[in-house]
Amino acid sequence: MKKIVILMLTALLALNCSKDDNSNDSQQLNSANKILSFIIVDGNNTFNGIINDATNTINVVTNDLNLSELLTASIEVSQNATVSPSPSTPRNFSNPVTFTITAENGDQNTYTVNITNGDNKILTFSLLINNEIYNGDIDHITKTISIETTGLETNTSIVPTITISTLATISPDINLAQNFNNNISYTVTSESNEEAIYNIEITNTSLSSEKKILSFQFIEDGVTFDGVINHDALTINIESYKRIINIPPVITTSDNATISPDANETQDFRNDITYTVTAQDGSTNTYTVYSIGYDISSMNSAPNTTDLVTKYFTKATPFIKCKYVNPTLPNSQLLLENDSNSYILSTSDFSSTVGSTFGETFTTFYIELPDNIETGNDYKLIFKVDGVLTAESNFMVDILSEDVPDIFSSNQSSYSYQDTLTLTGENLTPGLRIATSNGSIYQYGASNINLNSQSTELTIELDNNSNMFPSYYGDPPFNTAVMLFANGRYGETIWVNFD
C-alpha cells in the first residue's frame, strides 16, 4: 500500500510542475512597435502615407490641402502598442511631425511624418489686352485654359497674370512676356515633383478696321437734310435751308468706331468742320464737312429770328437779303406762300458778294408784291430750284391788301438838305423810312410828318440830318428809297435823288 501512495504523489507533483512552466510562457510581453498604416483625414479626403521602416519615415503626398490648418491622422500600430502623441488630436502638419510607438513590453520606436504638396495646378489665368482683362476658363482634367479675346492680334508681348498651387513652380516664368498669338504652354511642378502641362487655347476676334461716317444729317424743325458722303475723298457736302449755326449733327459711324469731336457737340457749320473716325484697331479717317446754309435772312430790317413777323402792304417792294439764294438761276422760283396760297414773285437789282469771314455768298435784291395777294399773317418766302425747296425765310410775313397806301407822285425828283418832301396819293400813312447812301435808314413818325385828313398828302422837312445827303461826304447824287412805314408795316417805295 505505501508503494502505491508514493507513486501517486510523484505523478501529481510532476503534473503540477508542467502547469507552472506553461503559465510563464503566456506571460511574455509583445515587443512589436511599428506603424502599420498612416492616413491624413480631411473631410471626405484621405491621403495614405508611404512607410519606410528602414528610415522610420512616413511620406504623405497631399492635394488641395491646406497644411496650415489643423489636420487629424489615422494611425494603425502593432498589436498592443500605443502611439504618442494621440493621433486623434488635430495638429499642424506644415512641418515634420514625430510619433513615438511604444510596444507592449515598453520598447519604443519613433517615426517622422513628412507631408509634401502634390498640387500642380494653374488656379487662375488672365490676359490684359487693350486695357481689358480676359479671364481663362481652366479645365484641370484636359489641362487646357480657354480664353476668348478681342484684339489680341495688336498685342504681341503680354505678361499674363497667373496663380498656381502652393509650393508649386511654373515654367516658363510667369513674369516673362509672351506672344499669345502663338501656341503657348506652361508646365507646373508640384512640391512632390509631379508635373502638369497646361495648353493655352485662345479664340480671338480681330479688331475692326472699319472707320467710316455712314450717314451725316442736320435735323431742324422736323426737317432732315442728308449729307453727300465721298469715302474716297473723305468729304461730306450738305445743304440746308434751316440754320447751320450752333447745331448738333446726327452722325452714324462704323460699328465699334469712335468719332471726335463728339457728334452731340454743337458746331458752327459756316466753317468747314473736320471729324476723325477711329476704328477699333486704332486706324483713323478724317472727314471734312462742307456746308451751305441757304437762308433768306431778312426783308428790309426784319431780324434774323423765327419768332418775329415783318409786315407789308401789297404795294411794298421789300429789300431781300439772302445767303446762296439766286433767283436768276434757270428753273428757279421765288414764292410767297402760306398753307392756302402761293404767289410767284418778280425780282430786280440782284447782286452777289462773298463774305470775307466764312466765304458765304450773300445775295440781295428787291421783290414786288402782286396786288392780288390775299391778306394773311402767316406767309413765308420760299426759294425753289427745279421744284425742290432750297431756302425759306426764318420769319413770317404779314401781308395786308385792304386800304393799301398808294403814292401817285412826289413834289420833286431830287432833294437837298432842308428841302421839303411832299408825297401825294391815297391811304397814305404817317410814317417814312429813308435808306440813304451812307448805309443808314432814317425813320420818321407822326411827330415829324404832316398828313392831311384825307390821307392824300404827306409832307416832311428834310432839315434834321445833313449827313443823309451824299454831298455831305463830297459824293455825287444817290438814288434813294423813300418807303412808307407806319405801325411797323411797310408800304410803297418811291425812288428819288438825294444830292
Side-chain angles (χ1 to χ4, degrees), residues 12-27:
L12 183 60
L13 288 171
L15 181 61
N16 287 336
C17 289
S18 176
K19 289 182 178 179
D20 290 341
D21 291 342
N22 292 338
S23 176
N24 288 336
D25 290 342
S26 65
Q27 290 178 4

Side-chain angles (χ1 to χ4, degrees), residues 147-440:
I147 309 179
E148 293 185 1
T149 62
T150 299
L152 178 62
E153 74 282 356
T154 64
N155 294 263
T156 58
S157 181
I158 302 175
V159 176
T161 300
I162 306 174
T163 60
I164 60 175
S165 302
T166 304
L167 302 178
T169 59
I170 189 170
S171 178
D173 192 292
I174 60 175
N175 296 312
L176 181 65
Q178 302 283 353
N179 183 356
F180 287 95
N181 293 283
N182 301 324
N183 294 326
I184 301 294
S185 63
Y186 285 89
T187 300
V188 183
T189 304
S190 71
E191 184 188 22
S192 59
N193 290 320
E194 297 180 39
E195 291 185 348
I197 300 175
Y198 284 81
N199 294 311
I200 313 302
E201 297 181 352
I202 296 180
T203 302
N204 181 59
T205 300
S206 298
L207 295 177
S208 172
S209 61
E210 289 297 311
K211 45 188 176 291
K212 293 179 178 179
I213 291 179
L214 302 178
S215 67
F216 190 97
Q217 297 175 324
F218 295 153
I219 300 178
E220 289 291 311
D221 301 326
V223 182
T224 300
F225 303 92
D226 293 308
V228 178
I229 303 173
N230 186 324
H231 295 296
D232 295 325
L234 298 179
T235 60
I236 300 173
N237 292 286
I238 186 167
E239 299 178 356
S240 170
Y241 59 82
K242 298 290 185 178
R243 66 187 182 96
I244 61 172
I245 303 173
N246 298 327
I247 61 171
V250 178
I251 306 174
T252 60
T253 61
S254 302
D255 290 342
N256 300 312
T258 58
I259 189 168
S260 177
D262 192 285
N264 294 319
E265 291 183 15
T266 60
Q267 304 288 345
D268 185 347
F269 285 98
R270 292 176 299 178
N271 300 299
D272 297 337
I273 305 296
T274 60
Y275 285 92
T276 298
V277 183
T278 303
Q280 199 178 27
D281 66 0
S283 58
T284 61
N285 274 338
T286 298
Y287 289 79
T288 302
V289 180
Y290 301 98
S291 305
I292 293 179
Y294 291 92
D295 179 55
I296 300 175
S297 55
S298 68
M299 292 177 68
N300 294 96
S301 60
N304 187 12
T305 57
T306 57
D307 57 346
L308 295 181
V309 176
T310 183
K311 301 177 180 179
Y312 295 91
F313 289 101
T314 53
K315 281 188 173 293
T317 53
F319 178 73
I320 309 298
K321 184 178 180 180
C322 306
K323 282 185 282 189
Y324 300 106
V325 174
N326 183 355
T328 67
L329 289 175
N331 302 318
S332 66
Q333 287 182 320
L334 187 70
L335 306 110
L336 189 69
E337 290 187 349
N338 62 10
D339 290 341
S340 304
N341 304 292
S342 178
Y343 304 94
I344 298 175
L345 305 176
S346 59
T347 65
S348 60
D349 295 336
F350 173 81
S351 67
S352 175
T353 58
V354 177
S356 59
T357 303
F358 299 104
E360 297 172 306
T361 300
F362 292 95
T363 58
T364 57
F365 48 87
Y366 288 91
I367 62 172
E368 296 181 10
L369 298 177
D371 292 338
N372 63 341
I373 295 179
E374 291 188 8
T375 295
N377 60 6
D378 58 349
Y379 286 98
K380 278 196 168 189
L381 277 175
I382 303 295
F383 180 63
K384 293 182 179 181
V385 179
D386 293 324
V388 177
L389 176 62
T390 303
E392 68 177 14
S393 60
N394 49 20
F395 51 86
M396 305 302 290
V397 182
D398 183 328
I399 300 296
L400 183 61
S401 58
E402 290 83 21
D403 299 323
V404 176
D406 188 4
I407 300 174
F408 298 159
S409 63
S410 62
N411 63 324
Q412 298 174 194
S413 61
S414 181
Y415 294 87
S416 301
Y417 178 54
Q418 295 185 335
D419 280 353
T420 299
L421 185 153
T422 301
L423 302 178
T424 58
E426 63 179 5
N427 299 321
L428 301 181
T429 58
L432 288 177
R433 275 190 169 184
I434 302 175
T436 64
S437 63
N438 63 11
S440 298

